[in-house]
Amino acid sequence: MLSRIAESMFWIGRYVERAEDTARILDVQTQHILEDAATDEETACRSLLAVMGIELSAEEKVGLPQMLDMLAYDTTQPTSMAYALGAARESARGARETLSVPLWEALNTTYRAIPAGQFKHMRAPFIFGWVRDRVAQINGTADATMMRDESWQFLMLGRYVERADMTSRLVATTSLTSAGGASQWNSTLRACGAYDAFLRVNKGVETEQAAAEFLLLDRIFPRSVVHALQRAEGALDTLEGTTRRAGFTDEAHRLIGRMRASLEYRSLHDLLADLPAEMERLQVTCAEATEAVTKRYFAGAEALAWQPV
C-alpha cells in the first residue's frame, strides 16, 4: 500500500475519533461546571485545558466561553472539534481513491458546516450532540461500505489509538473533579455511552472505583481503554502479515502491548492510587506508538497538514 494512503487512513481514524471524544468530554465538563455551584469555573476550565494539552499562563483569564472556543470552534487549534473535522476531511482527500463514495460524502458534508458558518453558530449542548451524530454516521458508513483490507486496518488502528488516548483524558479530568462523589463518574459513564452497560455488569451498584475500573479495564466494552488497546494490537497483527513465534519487530506493537499488560495485570488499588499520572503515561505511550507507526509505515509520505479555509 502507498504510504500516503496508509497515513491518510490512519489520520482519518484519529481525527474523527478525536472530534467525537472531545464532544463527549466537553459535554460532561460543561454540565458539571454549570450545575455544580461549588465548582470554581476558572480552575475547572484550566484543568480541562491542561489535560487536553493546552497550557495557559497565570495572567490569562479563562472561563467557559474561552474554553469552548479553544476546544470546539477554533479552526487553528489542533485540540478543537472544528480542527479535527477539517483535518479528517483533508486526510480523506489524500486517500480519495480508496474511500467509498458514501464515506467521502459523509466526511465532506460534515466538514462543509465549518466554512459555511453553521458550525460556529451552534451552541452547547446542541453542538456536542451534532458532532456525535455526524461521527456516528461517518463510522457507520465506513463499517458498511469499506473492504476489510489494509486501508481498513489503518483506519481502525488510528481510531483505537485515539480512543485509548481520549478515554484516558476523560478519566483523568473526572478523577481531578470528582470530589463531590460518584455523581461525576456517572456523568462520565453516560458520556461514554457506558452507563447502562456499567449497571448491568455491577448489578446496579455505583461506586467511583467500579466506574473507573469499567472504563479502564473492561475487555468487551468498546470504549474502555483495554478494549481499544486490544483492537489496536489486532490491527497491527493483521498489518504485520506474518506469524512470529517470538517477540515483536514492530515498536508500536511492543509499546501498546506493554501498556495494555501494565493496566491489566496490576492491582486495581495500585492503578487508582495516582490515576491522573497513570493516564498521562498512557497518553505518552499513544504518542510514542503513533511516532513508531509513522516511522515504520509512512516513511516517504508527504506530511499531512491542514489549514482552515
Side-chain angles (χ1 to χ4, degrees), residues 15-16 19-20 80-90 107 110-111 114 119 130-131 134-135 138 306:
Y15 281 129
V16 169
E20 179 183 9
S80 76
M81 296 186 296
Y83 183 97
L85 293 174
R89 189 258 196 175
E90 187 64 20
L107 284 162
T110 303
Y111 163 73
I114 298 173
F119 189 88
W130 183 86
V131 169
R134 293 304 306 179
V135 170
I138 291 168
W306 176 73

Side-chain angles (χ1 to χ4, degrees), residues 216-217 225-226 229 233 254-272 277-279 281-282 285:
L216 292 175
L217 302 178
V225 169
V226 163
L229 294 176
E233 286 185 272
R254 186 179 294 112
L255 287 165
I256 292 173
R258 188 164 58 217
M259 188 71 240
R260 178 190 54 77
S262 175
L263 291 172
E264 287 196 288
Y265 291 98
R266 290 173 61 192
S267 71
L268 184 61
H269 179 270
D270 288 345
L271 186 60
L272 298 182
E278 291 295 333
M279 295 301 95
R281 190 165 70 92
L282 174 57
T285 297

Side-chain angles (χ1 to χ4, degrees), residues 26-244:
L26 285 174
D27 195 9
V28 169
Q29 294 305 315
T30 54
Q31 182 178 2
H32 175 70
I33 291 170
L34 292 172
E35 292 183 357
D36 189 349
T39 300
D40 181 77
E41 182 175 328
E42 182 170 359
T43 301
C45 291
R46 283 183 176 274
S47 297
L48 177 55
L49 289 171
V51 169
M52 296 298 288
I54 301 175
E55 296 293 341
L56 300 175
S57 66
E59 294 76 23
E60 291 182 86
K61 298 297 182 181
V62 61
L64 197 55
Q66 292 80 15
M67 183 186 74
L68 287 173
D69 186 61
M70 285 185 276
L71 295 181
Y73 304 110
D74 189 350
T75 56
T76 65
Q77 178 59 255
T79 56
S80 76
M81 296 186 296
Y83 183 97
L85 293 174
R89 189 258 196 175
E90 187 64 20
S91 296
R93 289 180 60 194
R96 183 65 187 85
E97 64 270 37
T98 304
L99 300 180
S100 65
V101 172
L103 179 54
W104 164 253
E105 290 178 346
L107 284 162
N108 195 47
T109 301
T110 303
Y111 163 73
R112 292 308 307 171
I114 298 173
Q118 177 187 354
F119 189 88
K120 186 72 173 180
H121 288 92
M122 297 182 203
R123 290 293 178 262
F126 178 80
I127 192 173
F128 308 139
W130 183 86
V131 169
R132 290 166 64 175
D133 288 345
R134 293 304 306 179
V135 170
Q137 182 175 352
I138 291 168
N139 288 338
T141 302
D143 291 347
T145 62
M146 283 190 66
M147 294 188 297
R148 271 40 175 179
D149 56 5
E150 287 183 334
S151 297
W152 172 260
Q153 298 302 331
F154 279 111
L155 183 70
M156 292 299 101
L157 178 60
R159 176 188 295 179
Y160 285 107
V161 168
E162 187 69 27
R163 182 171 295 180
D165 180 272
M166 294 298 283
T167 299
S168 75
R169 294 177 191 273
L170 184 57
V171 170
T173 57
T174 304
S175 67
L176 290 170
T177 58
S178 60
S183 61
Q184 179 69 3
W185 282 102
N186 291 344
S187 297
T188 301
L189 288 165
R190 292 182 189 278
C192 289
Y195 188 68
D196 293 333
F198 170 76
L199 291 181
R200 286 177 57 194
V201 170
N202 291 277
K203 312 301 182 186
V205 178
E206 304 176 28
T207 66
E208 298 175 50
Q209 178 174 304
E213 181 182 25
F214 188 78
L215 289 174
L216 292 175
L217 302 178
D218 193 275
R219 295 186 181 92
I220 62 174
F221 180 68
R223 303 202 70 86
S224 79
V225 169
V226 163
H227 182 85
L229 294 176
Q230 286 176 335
R231 292 296 300 271
E233 286 185 272
L236 288 168
D237 279 335
T238 303
L239 291 168
E240 186 73 17
T242 58
T243 303
R244 293 183 57 83

